[in-house]
Amino acid sequence: MPYNFTVSPDFTPDHLSGWFIFNTWIQKQLGEGFHLELYNDFESQRKAIEEGKVDLIFANPYDAAMLVREKGFSPLVKPASKSDEAIIAVNAESPINCVEELQSGIKLASTDDPDVHMMGMIMLEPADLDKTNIEMKSCDSYVLVAKELLRGNSDVGFFLAEAFNDLSSMVRKQLKPLVSSQIQVVHHSLMIGPALADKKDGFRQALLSMNEDEKGQGVLKSLGFSGFEEMDEEEMEFMIDLVDTLLF
Amino acid sequence: MEDMKPEDITGEYQEVTLELYGWGPRKILYSEIESPYPDGRLIVSRTDTKGMITHVNQSFIDMSGYTEEELIGAPHSILRHPDMPPAAFKDLWDTSARGEKWQGYVKNLRKDGGYYWVKATAIPNVRNGEVVGFTSVRRKPSRKKVEECIALYPTLF
Ligand SMILES: Cc1cc2nc3c(=O)[nH]c(=O)nc-3n(C[C@H](O)[C@H](O)[C@H](O)COP(=O)(O)O)c2cc1C
């Protein structure tokens, strides 16, 4: 039976093939079979985790607490210098120039990316906005969030900063960012479950030295990462504690 | 942690001595100059179980005006502002001691005598079932909530 590998459903479509290439690389490195299963949304991925169908996951920081504290996962690595940050933006023509000018009853376009949504909601708090006094529309992608704003269907949108910067310059020109988070310590990480625990050290070593050979560099490139950095248990616990304070 | 010094203070200031728990008296110099909370940032610190600072992030350093060296190992009351009612911190410590999360609005004192308001959340750091310290994360507060605290806090002394 191969081990099951999955990736947080918020990966960028451009990197879809990269994850399959990475899966092949893992199998060669560990000499074990891995099956990459991608889920359409966070809900179905969490159900699979619940059912014990995941052994290796590139996880959203929001799910890290559940993976560590309920499912016995532990962190391996994180992508080098790539933290998750959120941007709140409005249509460039909007009279709104800062978060505090947003009024109760506004229409928000967001995605089901749990960490970006959480950071976005925190950045709305200074305007006394919360889920009770906004109207939320959930979109399938950041491009669709942008469209909501361009068409005037929504007043504000939440973006993963990286996704915002990846929008075409024509679209970006029609948007106005109100605030960008600079949290720096919230990021995705590659985590292994109990079934793979005995392979942890060798696996981590292989990941950390990935950018030292041409093959590894090619795989990293297809994922859009410059390399991996070690993520130890204490750094993970710190991130979980931090996310915990933000959910409170 | 030292007494505050006139040469560090910006603008006009008042003087008061606070009795800090587990530390003793500290001379406080404070002004009426408010620093706005930086947009999009979180101010993060960690303490040991006694409230001694063990970790601060760059935003903490920037907002407090102290250097990292001055902060690490100092009691967290280095930020204690005389306008904060002791009841708020008693509630923080009682709540944390029960292993629960605490949230509240806090007026913090800067090294230059000025102040800044935050919405703070403190949680116990549980490792292997044991509380080994606390983490506090501050975010930008709503002005409306701050105004409510400005009216409420003087009544709590
Ligand atoms: C994690 C943590 C964070 C704290 N953050 C602050 C703070 O930002 N400002 C502050 O005045 N006190 C803070 N305190 C409370 C102080 O430890 C202290 O109780 C308070 O400043 C009042 O001083 P006193 O207890 O000596 O009377 C914090 C305590 C903990 C455990």
Side-chain angles (χ1 to χ4, degrees):
Chain A
M1 276 280 280
Y3 292 105
N4 288 303
F5 171 39
T6 187
V7 176
S8 173
D10 56 2
F11 66 84
T12 34
D14 290 355
H15 298 126
L16 173 67
S17 61
W19 286 108
F20 282 95
I21 296 167
F22 181 62
N23 188 54
T24 306
W25 180 88
I26 293 173
Q27 307 199 59
K28 287 221 182 86
Q29 290 296 317
L30 297 189
E32 300 275 359
F34 275 83
H35 165 71
L36 173 59
E37 181 80 36
L38 296 172
Y39 298 90
N40 283 330
D41 49 57
F42 283 91
E43 208 177 313
S44 48
Q45 185 172 75
R46 287 189 194 120
K47 187 160 167 281
I49 295 166
E50 195 47 54
E51 291 167 352
K53 291 181 186 160
V54 174
D55 304 305
L56 177 70
I57 180 170
F58 186 67
N60 186 284
Y62 190 94
D63 287 331
M66 174 265 291
L67 288 161
V68 169
R69 295 187 180 165
E70 292 165 34
K71 298 288 159 199
F73 277 68
S74 63
L76 276 176
V77 291
K78 61 183 178 189
S81 43
K82 223 182 168 101
S83 61
D84 292 10
E85 305 288 356
I87 287 180
I88 297 183
V90 295
N91 189 304
E93 318 259 86
S94 166
I96 303 286
N97 287 310
C98 68
V99 164
E100 280 85 347
E101 288 170 15
L102 295 167
Q103 300 284 330
S104 151
I106 53 151
K107 292 196 194 119
L108 163 71
S110 185
T111 60
D112 78 342
D113 291 3
D115 63 333
V116 173
H117 188 72
M118 171 187 76
M119 295 188 270
M121 291 304 290
I122 279 170
M123 293 195 291
L124 286 184
E125 283 182 5
D128 289 301
L129 295 171
D130 59 42
K131 62 176 187 292
T132 65
N133 58 7
I134 57 177
E135 206 179 300
M136 192 182 116
K137 169 146 192 188
S138 189
C139 301
D140 284 336
S141 71
Y142 291 109
V143 171
L144 294 177
V145 171
K147 276 196 181 141
E148 277 287 305
L149 299 178
L150 296 192
R151 291 185 184 138
N153 293 340
S154 294
D155 306 306
V156 275
F158 291 169
F159 295 86
L160 173 69
E162 198 184 352
F164 186 86
N165 296 325
D166 282 348
L167 292 169
S168 74
S169 64
M170 216 190 54
V171 170
R172 237 181 316 141
K173 256 195 296 198
Q174 298 174 72
L175 297 172
K176 173 165 59 177
L178 297 181
V179 56
S180 316
S181 73
Q182 288 171 65
I183 297 174
Q184 286 152 358
V185 287
V186 171
H187 46 73
H188 281 60
S189 54
L190 189 66
M191 302 173 74
I192 54 169
L196 284 163
D198 59 324
K199 302 192 171 35
K200 184 170 162 180
D201 293 342
F203 194 3
R204 180 185 274 153
Q205 220 34 63
L207 289 159
L208 292 176
S209 49
M210 230 176 137
N211 54 7
E212 285 164 19
D213 65 82
E214 222 171 290
K215 259 229 176 75
Q217 285 163 5
V219 178
L220 286 166
K221 191 155 176 255
S222 65
L223 289 170
F225 299 158
S226 59
F228 284 113
E229 285 171 1
E230 175 158 0
M231 171 111 185
D232 65 20
E233 322 264 319
E234 184 48 34
E235 185 181 354
M236 177 56 87
E237 291 290 344
F238 178 46
M239 188 180 86
I240 291 173
D241 283 340
L242 192 129
V243 169
D244 235 8
T245 69
L246 299 182
L247 292 173
F248 185 57
Chain B
M1 181 169 65
E2 299 176 342
D3 281 344
M4 292 175 76
K5 298 192 211 65
E7 61 266 31
D8 291 333
I9 309 300
T10 307
E12 283 179 45
Y13 61 87
Q14 285 175 274
E15 195 176 312
V16 66
T17 297
L18 290 177
E19 192 64 35
L20 298 176
Y21 184 82
W23 184 263
R26 183 186 190 212
K27 195 198 278 177
I28 301 291
L29 310 178
Y30 64 108
S31 74
E32 292 302 323
I33 302 172
E34 177 166 10
S35 293
Y37 192 103
D39 267 322
R41 303 238 178 182
L42 296 176
I43 298 175
V44 183
S45 63
R46 291 204 275 177
T47 70
D48 62 17
T49 53
K50 302 262 185 303
M52 297 294 175
I53 299 172
T54 55
H55 164 96
V56 289
N57 72 350
Q58 190 58 45
S59 299
F60 190 110
I61 296 168
D62 295 344
M63 280 307 275
S64 71
Y66 291 99
T67 63
E68 186 164 5
E69 293 70 38
E70 289 171 307
L71 292 166
I72 302 297
H76 219 309
S77 50
I78 191 168
L79 303 186
R80 169 92 162 84
H81 196 283
D83 291 349
M84 280 301 292
F89 297 117
K90 181 171 184 327
D91 185 44
L92 185 165
W93 280 103
D94 290 349
T95 308
S96 304
R98 289 196 302 270
E100 293 168 18
K101 294 177 195 164
W102 179 87
Q103 197 162 66
Y105 293 86
V106 180
K107 183 176 186 174
N108 274 329
L109 179 66
R110 290 164 54 94
K111 184 179 181 180
D112 68 5
Y115 66 90
Y116 56 101
W117 279 96
V118 300
K119 177 179 179 181
T121 308
I123 67 162
N125 305 135
V126 183
R127 305 286 185 268
N128 303 314
E130 222 179 293
V131 175
V132 298
F134 302 99
T135 297
S136 177
V137 178
R138 296 88 176 170
R139 36 181 134 152
K140 187 174 191 180
S142 114
R143 204 60 218 177
K144 199 174 114 205
K145 295 277 165 45
V146 168
E147 298 298 338
E148 285 170 18
C149 293
I150 291 172
L152 173 70
Y153 286 175
T155 69
L156 300 180
F157 280 85

